[in-house]
Amino acid sequence: MDLQENQAALILEAAEDGEISVNVAASDMEGLAGSICQAVAKMLMYDEEFQEKLMTMLDE
């Protein structure tokens, strides 16, 4: 995947056991898009309330 300077991406990988790994790709990790992706990645990994909200949305 080629990203432009002002783009960033979250890359989610689901293992067979249901474990999710989160990666961030950006040409400029310090730029706005890279910073936002890093913040969302941290929420996905560490914020239990955020994780619960996501799971509720998936169940709907």
Side-chain angles (χ1 to χ4, degrees):
M1 170 188 323
D2 292 325
L3 297 172
Q4 296 179 14
E5 263 185 57
N6 63 341
Q7 296 177 323
L10 282 176
I11 302 161
L12 307 178
E13 183 177 345
E16 288 184 24
D17 64 1
E19 185 75 24
I20 301 292
S21 61
V22 180
N23 294 293
V24 175
S27 60
D28 180 9
M29 292 297 254
E30 303 301 319
L32 180 60
S35 296
I36 290 172
C37 274
Q38 289 180 76
V40 172
K42 287 179 185 176
M43 289 177 71
L44 284 169
M45 294 179 355
Y46 303 117
D47 186 331
E48 290 180 17
E49 187 176 321
F50 183 70
Q51 294 168 4
E52 288 176 22
K53 287 180 183 178
L54 285 174
M55 297 311 289
T56 299
M57 291 173 69
L58 292 175
D59 289 339
E60 293 177 349

